[in-house]
Amino acid sequence: MWRNGLALLLMAALAAAAWSIWAQLDKPVRSVRVLGMMSEAERQAIQEVVMSNLSGGILSLDADELVADIQSLSWPREVRVRRIWPDALTIDVQRESVVALWGDGGYLTSDGKVVHLADGPEGVPYLAASLSTPRQAMELYQLLTLRVAEADLAIVRLEENQLGEWLLTFDSGMTLALGNEALTERLSRFLLAYRRALATRAATIAHVDTRYDNGLAVRWSDAQLASVERSTR
C-alpha cells in the first residue's frame, strides 16, 4: 500500500512541477507582428482579431482558432501563426488577389469568391448579377474578355438584370446588350459586324443591341447625331 501511496505522491509532485514550469513559460503576449502585403486598415483588423484571442498566455493560445478567426475576415487566403519566445507572435498573411468589384460592395477573386477589403484596388472592372452567382458571373466575364480582346475591346462593366439579361460596357463607353440566351452566338455576330463596319466608328457608337434573331441595332452617340444633323442642314 505504501508503495502505491508513494507513487501517487510522486505523480502529484511531477504534475505540480509540470504545471509550475508551464505557468512560468506561458507568458502574456506583449508583441504581435503582422507580415504581408496589405493596407493599414487590413493590418489593424488582424491586430484586433489577434487581441480578442489573447485571453491566456503564449502557450495556451489556440493557434488553429486564431487562424480560423483571421480567415473569417474573407480576404486572407493563407495565414500562418508563429510563437516567438518568450512573448511575441508573428502573423504571416497572404491576401486574396481580387480582379473585379462586385455589386454589393465587395470584390471578386479570379475564381469568383467574394471578399471584403477595407482598401481595394482601383481600376478593376465592375460585375453585378441579379440571378447568377458570383462565380458564374466571373466565368462569363473571363470568357467574354477573351473574345472581345480579339477586337481590341476591354470590358469595364458586366451586369445582369432581373430578367437574366447581360449588358456589357466597354472602356470606350459603348454598351452591348447580349440578352439572356445564345450569348456566345450573339457576341460572335457583334464581333463580325464590329470588324467589318463598326470599328472605325467605335468612338461614335453609344449602344449595340444583339437581341435579334439575325441582326443587331446600333444607337449612335449624341455627338454623332448632332454632327449628322449639322451636315444635313
Side-chain angles (χ1 to χ4, degrees):
M1 292 291 296
W2 67 270
R3 290 182 178 178
N4 292 337
L6 181 60
L8 290 174
L9 289 174
L10 180 59
M11 291 176 62
L14 290 174
W19 173 252
S20 176
I21 294 173
W22 173 271
Q24 294 179 45
L25 296 178
D26 194 25
K27 303 288 186 181
V29 175
R30 303 187 183 280
S31 173
V32 178
R33 186 181 182 194
V34 180
L35 305 178
M37 298 293 294
M38 68 195 75
S39 68
E40 188 56 38
E42 292 163 349
R43 196 177 303 276
Q44 180 61 36
I46 292 178
Q47 291 272 9
E48 292 174 0
V49 172
V50 174
M51 296 308 296
S52 68
N53 278 265
L54 295 182
S55 57
I58 190 171
L59 293 182
S60 55
L61 171 72
D62 189 330
D64 291 337
E65 182 176 346
L66 176 57
V67 168
D69 286 349
I70 293 175
Q71 288 180 326
S72 70
L73 294 172
S74 81
W75 53 266
R77 175 172 54 84
E78 182 179 348
V79 180
R80 288 180 293 178
V81 175
R82 288 187 297 162
R83 295 177 174 88
I84 308 298
W85 181 256
D87 55 7
L89 289 177
T90 295
I91 316 293
D92 192 352
V93 179
Q94 302 298 318
R95 63 182 288 179
E96 293 278 9
S97 178
V98 298
V99 297
L101 279 166
W102 181 239
D104 65 356
Y107 290 83
L108 283 182
T109 66
S110 59
D111 58 357
K113 177 184 176 183
V114 179
V115 300
H116 296 276
L117 305 176
D119 298 301
E122 298 180 357
V124 294
Y126 171 83
L127 276 61
S130 296
L131 303 179
S132 301
T133 65
R135 185 180 184 88
Q136 290 169 333
M138 176 54 67
E139 289 175 349
L140 179 61
Y141 167 77
Q142 292 170 336
L143 172 64
L144 297 176
T145 294
L146 288 175
R147 292 292 308 280
V148 303
E150 301 170 4
D152 294 325
L153 293 169
I155 301 172
V156 295
R157 296 178 72 92
L158 175 63
E159 300 164 271
E160 181 193 37
N161 64 20
Q162 293 182 347
L163 298 176
E165 296 178 327
W166 291 95
L167 179 71
L168 285 69
T169 303
F170 298 108
D171 56 354
S172 64
M174 175 177 61
T175 57
L176 173 65
L178 289 179
N180 57 11
E181 59 183 14
L183 302 185
T184 56
E185 178 182 327
R186 290 174 176 179
L187 180 64
S188 296
R189 188 191 312 154
F190 161 74
L191 290 174
L192 179 61
Y194 186 81
R195 293 190 186 96
R196 288 183 174 179
L198 301 179
T200 57
R201 306 175 66 183
T204 63
I205 299 174
H207 180 71
V208 179
D209 193 341
T210 66
R211 295 173 296 175
Y212 299 89
D213 291 337
N214 297 304
L216 49 81
V218 177
R219 186 173 76 241
W220 305 101
S221 66
D222 293 340
Q224 173 68 8
L225 292 175
S227 176
V228 171
E229 289 177 356
R230 286 195 299 270
S231 66
T232 55
R233 289 175 184 174

